[in-house]
Amino acid sequence: MDAVRVALLREVLAGTPWPGEARRFAGSLRRAVVPAGGGLLLVGTERYEPWHLAAHLVDEAAWSGQPELAPTLVRHRVRPGEPPHLSVGLGRLEGARRGHTLLVVAPERPGEGLLERVHDARRAGATVLSLDGGDADLGALAHDALSVPAADCATDLDTVQHLVGAAAGENGLPVRRGAGAGTGAQRLRDRLARLADQLTAPPPSLW
């Protein structure tokens, strides 16, 4: 999510635990993936695909110089003819083991099939993180979980995902873009220009 809108969200949510909790959870994500050199698998539920979080993490990975944050989006349904980065099915979770991080985004209760795969991944040594609506079974499987109950009137899971995605790259330094990158101020102007373009663009689509 762009920096301007994240700053506004943090201002609106000041006085609630959510900005701090998002930074805490983002720190867990960094600590899991950076020492391991990547291996981040991102999966949602049958009814919810976290493609927007995937796009934000790809952006943060590029800007922060931490490519390990860029996830592999694991999908419940892969349609014929889709590009490779959108063609990773649930079978990919069977190969998750030590050195992999599995980030599950589940606004509602995950199906038993997904819970079993997450359980197997954890037993094989993968680190399991969960952004969820408060499901007890998923929370029990996760090494770290950030739950946003549907009854919370201050925010929702989509908003918290934006905060987590933005915070994930905050400890990294901007990447120099060649000899003409210029000063830190120039890099900041470049990023602000890119973010301004994003503000006026429609959200990315997988389809």
Side-chain angles (χ1 to χ4, degrees):
M1 193 177 192
D2 61 84
V4 175
R5 292 173 67 187
V6 168
L8 289 174
L9 280 177
R10 287 172 176 165
E11 182 177 345
V12 169
L13 293 173
T16 76
W18 298 115
E21 282 295 290
R23 285 192 171 101
R24 178 197 62 77
F25 188 82
S28 294
L29 178 60
R30 283 194 303 272
R31 288 190 295 274
V33 301
V34 172
L40 175 58
L41 304 174
L42 176 63
V43 65
T45 64
E46 288 189 34
R47 295 193 299 172
Y48 183 87
E49 191 164 60
W51 59 267
H52 214 157
L53 178 58
H56 292 323
L57 287 173
V58 168
D59 285 344
E60 289 300 325
W63 181 80
S64 68
Q66 297 181 117
E68 303 87 356
L69 290 171
T72 296
L73 181 61
V74 178
R75 308 180 66 195
H76 287 255
R77 290 175 294 276
V78 176
R79 299 178 181 179
E82 290 185 318
H85 71 287
L86 300 179
S87 300
V88 180
L90 287 177
R92 177 67 180 84
L93 300 183
E94 297 174 5
R97 52 186 44 86
R98 187 173 303 279
H100 290 94
T101 299
L102 176 56
L103 175 55
V104 184
V105 182
E108 71 278 343
R109 176 174 173 78
E112 293 301 324
L114 178 58
L115 287 173
E116 290 176 5
R117 291 174 187 268
V118 173
H119 177 262
D120 291 344
R122 173 163 178 151
R123 288 188 61 187
T127 298
V128 176
L129 304 176
S130 172
L131 280 167
D132 59 67
D135 182 74
D137 290 336
L138 180 57
L141 289 174
H143 294 90
D144 193 0
L146 181 53
S147 298
V148 186
D152 192 295
C153 60
T155 189
D156 55 32
L157 187 60
D158 282 339
T159 299
V160 172
Q161 285 182 72
H162 292 317
L163 294 176
V164 169
E170 285 183 342
N171 281 3
L173 296 175
V175 179
R176 291 187 62 86
R177 303 190 180 193
T183 65
Q186 180 62 51
R187 291 197 298 274
L188 178 59
R189 285 193 295 271
D190 290 343
R191 187 171 192 240
L192 287 174
R194 178 170 65 85
L195 293 175
D197 290 340
Q198 292 176 353
L199 275 171
T200 58
S205 174
L206 290 180
W207 317 118

